[in-house]
Amino acid sequence: MRTRMVCVYPDSLTCIQRLYFSQSSETISHGGKRALQLTSTKDITRQYRHIFLSPHLDDVVYACGGTLGMQVSSGLTPLVISVFTGKPAANQKLSPLAVDVLRDWSASDTQGAIRVMEERKQEDKAALDYLQADYLWLDYQEAIYRGQPGYYADKAQLMGGEVHTTDRSLDSELGQLLVDLHDQLPDTAWYAPLGIGRHVDHQILFSAVDRLVQRGAKVYFYEDFPYVQRDKGALDARLQELGGEFEYTLVETSEMLPLKLAAADLYASQIQSNFGGREAMHKTMDSYAHTIRPVETIRLERYWIAR
């Protein structure tokens, strides 16, 4: 990991930034614009001044849904690129880890895994249509499907383990893709996972995005949710692991919280396994947004910037 980043804690709410967009009192009109699904990175034009990189379908909405709402209400067109959305091959033998994970979605074989990914894409489409954020699905397989036999043997390796040596080529490929896009879009701001919780797919994407940091791109690392909330020490542990210096910026998303919760509801297949139920999910999201800076009426999303 090349990034040399210790965190700097501003002392007052004056650190709240708008990340190059202004707050609007308008709400998103759901009878109007629909999100556009891009089919290739070649479809990405300079109109996309804010690009959110999501390891999996749902990660960006969970972590940045309020920010997306703020941008759309201000007349901007954010783009969400979900990276690991590829299906297993029809004849692929699933690893024991994949079978274990798929039980959460009532699937047990390759055809079930393909069905689950299609369902999750439809959920993502519905959520991003609701938020009016354009989107692109890349075709990389997520970690539980990579390797024959699987690169990751159990959940402990998937969440908190080291990236498999064979996946380093994936890191390089993604990094080059992002560098090429940055060359075409030098003024675009990028939003990417900090890697809290150390899910290997989040680690790979963080490492790939580091190439943008090294080139001076505007990169904002978001707090991986719900992992940041599950372990109170996970954020500090991740910052310590990375070393160096970060500072943070805050986006007030109080008026967009209902919108974010409604979009999160549309990932129906993920609610039980990630939160235990819809009410618990709403409570968890609201509580975390409040505890970032505990002022009664304020809800925030926080982004980390390499110094």
Side-chain angles (χ1 to χ4, degrees):
M1 196 76 67
R2 295 176 304 282
T3 306
R4 300 178 305 279
M5 300 180 192
V6 161
C7 56
V8 177
Y9 296 94
D11 293 325
S12 74
L13 281 173
T14 58
C15 70
I16 295 178
Q17 303 294 322
R18 299 304 175 203
L19 300 186
Y20 304 97
F21 59 94
S22 59
Q23 184 173 2
S24 169
S25 59
E26 299 177 4
T27 57
I28 297 175
S29 171
H30 294 289
K33 172 185 176 293
R34 292 183 64 83
L36 176 66
Q37 180 183 351
L38 279 59
T39 60
S40 165
T41 55
K42 295 178 181 178
D43 297 334
I44 301 174
T45 66
R46 293 198 176 197
Q47 73 165 316
Y48 295 112
R49 302 293 297 273
H50 300 269
I51 297 180
F52 293 76
L53 300 172
S54 189
H56 308 110
L57 305 163
D58 67 26
D59 284 316
V60 158
V61 171
Y62 285 169
C64 314
T67 302
L68 287 172
M70 294 289 292
Q71 291 182 352
V72 171
S73 72
S74 299
L76 298 173
T77 306
L79 173 66
V80 177
I81 301 178
S82 296
V83 175
F84 299 104
T85 74
K87 298 175 288 189
N91 61 350
Q92 182 174 330
K93 181 180 179 180
L94 297 182
S95 69
L97 173 60
V99 173
D100 186 25
V101 171
L102 285 166
R103 287 195 189 100
D104 289 336
W105 304 312
S106 302
S108 60
D109 57 15
T110 304
Q111 291 306 310
I114 293 171
R115 170 184 57 79
V116 165
M117 184 56 73
E118 287 303 319
E119 290 176 356
R120 292 186 65 189
K121 284 183 174 180
Q122 291 308 305
E123 292 173 349
D124 193 52
K125 179 181 186 301
L128 296 174
D129 274 345
Y130 185 79
L131 291 171
Q132 298 177 13
D134 292 353
Y135 59 98
L136 169 65
W137 297 324
L138 301 185
D139 202 35
Y140 296 99
Q141 290 185 336
E142 59 181 303
I144 61 174
Y145 302 131
R146 294 199 297 273
Q148 292 288 316
Y151 295 157
Y152 305 98
D154 53 37
K155 289 183 178 179
Q157 290 186 2
L158 181 70
M159 290 290 306
E162 298 302 321
V163 172
H164 193 276
T165 53
T166 311
D167 271 342
R168 291 175 185 169
S169 61
L170 178 54
D171 175 354
S172 298
E173 185 176 339
L174 280 170
Q176 188 58 55
L177 173 65
L178 294 174
V179 167
D180 291 345
L181 285 172
H182 171 60
D183 288 344
Q184 300 168 33
L185 309 165
D187 298 323
T188 291
W190 299 84
Y191 305 76
L194 187 58
I196 299 164
R198 304 189 79 249
H199 187 298
V200 291
D201 287 342
H202 292 229
Q203 291 186 61
I204 289 169
L205 186 51
F206 175 90
S207 182
V209 171
D210 183 49
R211 292 164 175 81
L212 299 182
V213 174
Q214 299 303 320
R215 283 163 176 77
K218 297 188 289 286
V219 179
Y220 301 93
F221 291 103
Y222 59 81
E223 299 180 356
D224 314 60
F225 198 89
Y227 308 133
V228 67
Q229 184 272 337
R230 288 178 182 168
D231 179 355
K232 303 305 181 186
L235 171 59
D236 285 343
R238 181 60 173 162
L239 292 170
Q240 297 251 343
E241 177 189 0
L242 296 174
E245 291 190 354
F246 280 92
E247 59 186 7
Y248 66 67
T249 188
L250 301 171
V251 179
E252 184 182 349
T253 58
S254 308
E255 67 185 68
M256 293 297 168
L257 182 62
L259 191 80
K260 176 178 179 175
L261 296 178
D265 286 345
L266 296 171
Y267 296 102
S269 67
Q270 306 301 299
I271 294 174
Q272 190 64 36
S273 59
N274 280 321
F275 302 98
R278 179 174 174 273
E279 184 178 348
M281 179 179 72
H282 286 200
K283 182 177 179 180
T284 299
M285 288 185 169
D286 177 65
S287 174
Y288 190 74
H290 174 247
T291 56
I292 290 174
R293 187 62 64 94
V295 177
E296 183 60 33
T297 60
I298 298 295
R299 300 297 184 271
L300 301 167
E301 290 173 352
R302 180 167 50 197
Y303 297 87
W304 295 86
I305 305 162
R307 296 187 65 188

